């Protein structure tokens, strides 16, 4: 069975600093990879996705992620964090043939002034 | 389009009660799913459907029942509520057009079982 690991439960970043959130997956075939963001009390918003092609994908709100097959990773990055980026971030992988996702446990991002 | 809608937004149940969480989508998506979200656990798949009349179990199906009589609706039934079912429930839909795995999520239902 596939799995997704987000090693960091919490991360604190200063406003204006760069951000990298880690995601590792376990899946035999070419994965479909996603990053979602969830603000407190809100639903999930898709930040970006990777299906195939260019391994560096751009998303909304200035986020990007890089797919590295050799490391089974899909890390999320942002060059300069804003206070409004404080939220919980979920990495997810598509499950073969059934149109559902397996999620990591999430990383809570705190932004300090 | 309203997208994916869920009702109710909030619900409190007593142990042993039953209820149905409603989910509807107006995008003609063939795939629909139910997830539950618990602190520190991410989202876990309860049940899913690949089309009207076709459903299957996900990772945590016990205590829940689903059916899919139309493309638009995918209700989730709690047969006899337990405190362990206190959670936030998200319904999602997807379709082949932009890749079948991209989920469109509803706003969620926050359920408390006392």
């Amino acid at each position: 069975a596939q799995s997704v690991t987000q090693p960091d439960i919490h991360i604190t970043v200063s406003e204006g600093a760069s951000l990298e959130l880690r995601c590792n997956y376990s899946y035999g075939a070419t994965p479909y990879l996603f990053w979602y963001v969830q603000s407190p009390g809100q639903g999930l918003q898709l930040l970006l996705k990777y299906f195939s092609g260019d391994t560096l994908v751009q998303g909304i709100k200035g986020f990007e992620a890089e797919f590295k097959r050799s490391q089974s990773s899909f890390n999320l990055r942002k060059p300069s964090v804003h206070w409004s980026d404080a939220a919980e971030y979920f990495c997810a992988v598509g499950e073969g043939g059934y149109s559902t996702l397996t999620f990591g446990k999430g990383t809570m991002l705190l932004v300090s002034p | 389009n309203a997208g994916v809608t869920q009702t109710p937004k909030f619900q409190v149940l007593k142990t042993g009660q039953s209820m149905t969480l409603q989910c509807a989508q107006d995008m003609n998506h063939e795939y629909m799913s139910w997830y539950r979200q618990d602190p520190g656990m991410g989202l876990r798949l309860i049940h899913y459907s690949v089309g009207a009349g076709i459903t299957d179990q996900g990772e945590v199906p016990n205590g829940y029942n689903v059916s899919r009589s139309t493309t638009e609706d995918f209700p989730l039934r709690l047969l006899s509520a337990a405190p362990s079912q206190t959670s936030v429930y998200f319904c999602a839909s997807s379709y082949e057009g932009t890749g079948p795995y991209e989920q469109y999520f509803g706003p969620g239902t926050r359920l408390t079982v006392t």
Side-chain angles (χ1 to χ4, degrees), chain A residues 93-106:
Chain A
V93 59
E95 187 161 348
Y98 298 111
S99 304
T100 59
L101 295 178
T102 297
F103 283 83
K105 294 184 178 181

Side-chain angles (χ1 to χ4, degrees), chain B residues 17-96:
Chain B
Q17 289 183 317
S18 63
M19 80 159 295
T20 299
L21 307 185
Q22 301 291 344
C23 174
Q25 53 93 8
D26 61 358
M27 299 173 284
N28 202 33
H29 287 178
E30 58 264 47
Y31 307 118
M32 296 186 75
S33 306
W34 277 102
Y35 297 84
R36 61 176 288 174
Q37 182 180 24
D38 303 293
M41 298 297 294
L43 278 79
R44 292 178 292 169
L45 182 66
I46 305 172
H47 285 285
Y48 63 96
S49 169
V50 298
I54 306 170
T55 64
D56 206 346
Q57 298 180 351
E59 180 185 354
V60 288
N62 292 341
Y64 307 95
N65 199 2
V66 293
S67 60
R68 183 116 178 256
S69 57
T70 67
T71 300
E72 294 78 19
D73 300 299
F74 191 43
L76 178 72
R77 298 181 188 83
L78 280 69
L79 309 173
S80 176
S84 61
Q85 294 179 302
T86 294
S87 188
V88 181
Y89 292 84
F90 288 100
C91 179
S93 71
S94 62
Y95 73 117
E96 292 281 350

